[in-house]
Coordinates of all heavy atoms in Angstrom, one line a residue:
L1 N 25.3 49.3 -5.1 CA 26.3 48.3 -4.8 C 27.6 48.7 -5.5 O 28.7 48.7 -5.0 CB 25.9 46.9 -5.0 CG 26.8 45.8 -4.7 CD1 26.1 44.6 -4.2 CD2 27.7 45.4 -5.9
Q2 N 27.5 48.9 -6.8 CA 28.6 49.3 -7.6 C 29.3 50.6 -7.2 O 30.5 50.7 -7.1 CB 28.3 49.4 -9.1 CG 29.5 49.7 -10.0 CD 29.2 49.5 -11.5 OE1 28.1 49.8 -11.9 NE2 30.2 49.0 -12.2
K3 N 28.4 51.6 -6.8 CA 28.9 52.9 -6.4 C 29.5 52.8 -5.0 O 30.3 53.7 -4.6 CB 27.8 53.9 -6.4 CG 27.3 54.3 -7.8 CD 26.2 55.3 -7.7 CE 25.6 55.6 -9.1 NZ 24.4 56.5 -9.0
G4 N 29.2 51.8 -4.3 CA 29.7 51.6 -2.9 C 28.8 52.3 -1.9 O 29.1 52.4 -0.7
S5 N 27.6 52.8 -2.3 CA 26.7 53.6 -1.5 C 25.6 52.7 -0.9 O 24.7 53.3 -0.2 CB 26.2 54.8 -2.2 OG 25.4 54.4 -3.4
L6 N 25.5 51.4 -1.3 CA 24.4 50.6 -0.8 C 24.4 50.5 0.7 O 25.5 50.2 1.3 CB 24.5 49.2 -1.4 CG 23.4 48.3 -1.1 CD1 22.0 48.7 -1.7 CD2 23.7 46.8 -1.6
D7 N 23.3 50.8 1.4 CA 23.2 50.7 2.8 C 23.6 49.2 3.3 O 23.0 48.3 2.7 CB 21.8 51.0 3.3 CG 21.6 51.2 4.8 OD1 22.4 50.5 5.5 OD2 20.8 51.9 5.2
E8 N 24.5 49.1 4.2 CA 24.9 47.8 4.7 C 23.8 47.0 5.2 O 23.8 45.8 5.1 CB 26.0 48.0 5.7 CG 26.6 46.7 6.2 CD 27.6 46.8 7.3 OE1 28.7 47.4 7.0 OE2 27.4 46.4 8.4
K9 N 22.8 47.7 5.8 CA 21.6 46.9 6.3 C 20.9 46.2 5.2 O 20.4 45.1 5.4 CB 20.7 47.9 7.1 CG 21.3 48.5 8.3 CD 20.3 49.4 9.0 CE 20.9 50.1 10.3 NZ 19.9 51.0 10.9
I10 N 20.8 46.9 4.0 CA 20.1 46.2 2.9 C 20.9 45.0 2.5 O 20.4 44.0 2.2 CB 20.0 47.2 1.7 CG1 19.1 48.4 2.1 CG2 19.5 46.5 0.4 CD1 19.0 49.5 1.1
F11 N 22.3 45.1 2.4 CA 23.1 44.0 2.0 C 23.0 42.9 3.0 O 23.0 41.7 2.6 CB 24.5 44.5 1.8 CG 25.4 43.5 1.1 CD1 25.2 43.1 -0.2 CD2 26.5 43.0 1.8 CE1 26.0 42.2 -0.9 CE2 27.4 42.0 1.1 CZ 27.1 41.7 -0.2
R12 N 22.9 43.2 4.3 CA 22.8 42.2 5.3 C 21.5 41.4 5.1 O 21.5 40.2 5.2 CB 22.9 42.8 6.7 CG 24.2 43.3 7.1 CD 24.1 44.1 8.4 NE 23.6 43.3 9.5 CZ 24.4 42.7 10.4 NH1 25.8 42.8 10.2 NH2 23.9 42.0 11.3
Y13 N 20.4 42.2 4.8 CA 19.1 41.5 4.7 C 19.1 40.6 3.4 O 18.6 39.5 3.4 CB 18.0 42.6 4.5 CG 16.6 42.0 4.5 CD1 16.1 41.5 5.7 CD2 15.8 42.0 3.4 CE1 14.8 41.0 5.7 CE2 14.5 41.5 3.4 CZ 14.0 41.0 4.6 OH 12.7 40.5 4.6
Y14 N 19.8 41.1 2.4 CA 19.9 40.3 1.1 C 20.7 39.0 1.4 O 20.3 38.0 1.0 CB 20.7 41.2 0.1 CG 21.3 40.4 -1.0 CD1 20.6 39.9 -2.1 CD2 22.7 40.1 -0.9 CE1 21.2 39.1 -3.1 CE2 23.3 39.3 -1.9 CZ 22.6 38.8 -3.0 OH 23.2 38.1 -3.9
L15 N 21.8 39.1 2.2 CA 22.6 37.9 2.4 C 21.8 36.9 3.2 O 21.9 35.7 3.0 CB 23.9 38.3 3.2 CG 24.9 39.1 2.4 CD1 26.1 39.5 3.4 CD2 25.5 38.3 1.3
I16 N 21.0 37.3 4.2 CA 20.3 36.4 5.0 C 19.2 35.7 4.2 O 19.1 34.5 4.3 CB 19.6 37.1 6.2 CG1 20.8 37.6 7.2 CG2 18.7 36.2 7.0 CD1 20.3 38.5 8.3
Q17 N 18.5 36.5 3.4 CA 17.5 35.9 2.5 C 18.2 34.9 1.5 O 17.6 33.9 1.1 CB 16.7 36.9 1.8 CG 15.9 37.8 2.8 CD 14.8 37.1 3.5 OE1 14.2 36.1 3.0 NE2 14.6 37.5 4.8
D18 N 19.3 35.4 1.0 CA 20.0 34.6 -0.1 C 20.6 33.3 0.5 O 20.7 32.3 -0.2 CB 21.1 35.4 -0.7 CG 21.6 34.9 -2.0 OD1 20.7 34.5 -2.9 OD2 22.8 34.9 -2.3
D19 N 20.9 33.3 1.8 CA 21.4 32.1 2.5 C 20.3 31.0 2.5 O 20.6 29.9 2.2 CB 21.8 32.5 3.9 CG 22.4 31.3 4.7 OD1 23.4 30.7 4.2 OD2 21.8 30.9 5.7
Y20 N 19.1 31.5 2.8 CA 18.0 30.5 2.7 C 17.8 30.0 1.3 O 17.7 28.8 1.1 CB 16.7 31.3 3.1 CG 15.4 30.6 2.7 CD1 14.9 29.5 3.5 CD2 14.7 30.9 1.6 CE1 13.7 28.9 3.2 CE2 13.5 30.3 1.2 CZ 13.0 29.3 2.0 OH 11.8 28.7 1.6
Y21 N 17.9 30.9 0.3 CA 17.7 30.5 -1.1 C 18.8 29.5 -1.5 O 18.5 28.5 -2.1 CB 17.8 31.8 -2.0 CG 17.8 31.5 -3.4 CD1 16.7 31.3 -4.2 CD2 19.0 31.4 -4.1 CE1 16.7 31.0 -5.5 CE2 19.1 31.1 -5.5 CZ 17.9 30.9 -6.2 OH 18.0 30.6 -7.5
L22 N 20.1 29.9 -1.2 CA 21.2 29.0 -1.7 C 21.2 27.6 -1.1 O 21.6 26.7 -1.7 CB 22.5 29.7 -1.4 CG 22.8 31.0 -2.3 CD1 24.1 31.6 -1.8 CD2 22.9 30.6 -3.7
K23 N 20.8 27.5 0.2 CA 20.7 26.2 0.8 C 19.7 25.3 0.0 O 20.0 24.1 -0.2 CB 20.3 26.3 2.2 CG 21.4 26.9 3.1 CD 20.9 27.1 4.6 CE 22.0 27.6 5.4 NZ 21.6 27.9 6.8
H24 N 18.6 25.9 -0.4 CA 17.6 25.1 -1.1 C 18.1 24.9 -2.6 O 17.8 23.9 -3.2 CB 16.3 25.8 -1.1 CG 15.5 25.6 0.2 ND1 14.9 24.5 0.6 CD2 15.4 26.5 1.3 CE1 14.4 24.6 1.8 NE2 14.7 25.8 2.2
F25 N 18.7 25.9 -3.1 CA 19.2 25.9 -4.5 C 20.2 24.7 -4.7 O 20.2 24.0 -5.6 CB 19.8 27.2 -4.9 CG 20.0 27.4 -6.4 CD1 18.9 27.3 -7.3 CD2 21.2 27.6 -6.9 CE1 19.0 27.5 -8.6 CE2 21.4 27.8 -8.3 CZ 20.3 27.7 -9.1
S26 N 21.1 24.6 -3.7 CA 22.1 23.5 -3.7 C 21.4 22.2 -3.7 O 21.8 21.2 -4.4 CB 23.1 23.7 -2.6 OG 24.0 22.6 -2.5
R27 N 20.4 22.1 -2.8 CA 19.6 20.8 -2.7 C 18.9 20.5 -4.0 O 18.8 19.4 -4.4 CB 18.7 20.9 -1.5 CG 17.9 19.6 -1.2 CD 17.2 19.7 0.1 NE 16.5 18.5 0.4 CZ 15.2 18.3 0.2 NH1 14.5 19.3 -0.2 NH2 14.6 17.2 0.5
L28 N 18.4 21.6 -4.6 CA 17.6 21.4 -5.9 C 18.5 20.9 -7.0 O 18.1 20.0 -7.8 CB 16.9 22.7 -6.3 CG 15.6 23.0 -5.5 CD1 15.3 24.4 -5.5 CD2 14.5 22.2 -6.2
Y29 N 19.7 21.4 -7.1 CA 20.7 20.8 -8.0 C 20.8 19.3 -7.9 O 20.8 18.6 -8.8 CB 22.0 21.5 -7.9 CG 22.3 22.8 -8.7 CD1 23.0 23.8 -8.1 CD2 21.8 22.9 -10.0 CE1 23.2 25.0 -8.8 CE2 22.1 24.0 -10.7 CZ 22.8 25.1 -10.1 OH 23.0 26.2 -10.9
Q30 N 20.9 18.9 -6.6 CA 21.1 17.5 -6.3 C 19.9 16.7 -6.7 O 19.9 15.6 -7.3 CB 21.4 17.3 -4.8 CG 21.8 15.9 -4.4 CD 23.1 15.4 -4.9 OE1 24.1 16.2 -4.9 NE2 23.2 14.2 -5.3
L31 N 18.7 17.2 -6.3 CA 17.4 16.5 -6.5 C 17.1 16.4 -8.0 O 16.6 15.4 -8.5 CB 16.3 17.2 -5.7 CG 16.4 17.1 -4.2 CD1 15.3 17.9 -3.6 CD2 16.3 15.6 -3.8
V32 N 17.3 17.5 -8.7 CA 17.0 17.5 -10.2 C 18.0 16.5 -10.9 O 17.6 15.8 -11.8 CB 17.1 18.9 -10.8 CG1 16.8 18.8 -12.3 CG2 16.0 19.8 -10.1
G33 N 19.2 16.5 -10.4 CA 20.2 15.6 -10.9 C 19.8 14.1 -10.7 O 19.9 13.3 -11.6
D34 N 19.2 13.9 -9.5 CA 18.7 12.5 -9.2 C 17.6 12.1 -10.2 O 17.5 10.9 -10.5 CB 18.2 12.5 -7.8 CG 19.2 12.6 -6.7 OD1 20.4 12.4 -7.0 OD2 18.9 12.9 -5.6

């Protein structure tokens, strides 16, 4: 990623999986706060 040589397909897969993670992570911040 730093070199700029990371295959875009890998980054796309990461983003999709991270989208799932972040949606729950945001909810967890709220729930643990509660």
Side-chain angles (χ1 to χ4, degrees):
L1 182 144
Q2 183 169 37
K3 292 177 181 177
S5 60
L6 183 67
D7 190 329
E8 184 181 292
K9 292 180 181 178
I10 294 175
F11 192 62
R12 289 169 63 94
Y13 189 72
Y14 159 80
L15 288 175
I16 292 170
Q17 298 296 328
D18 200 43
D19 182 56
Y20 164 83
Y21 171 86
L22 289 175
K23 286 175 180 176
H24 284 282
F25 195 60
S26 177
R27 184 167 181 262
L28 279 157
Y29 270 141
Q30 185 72 38
L31 292 174
V32 178
D34 291 344

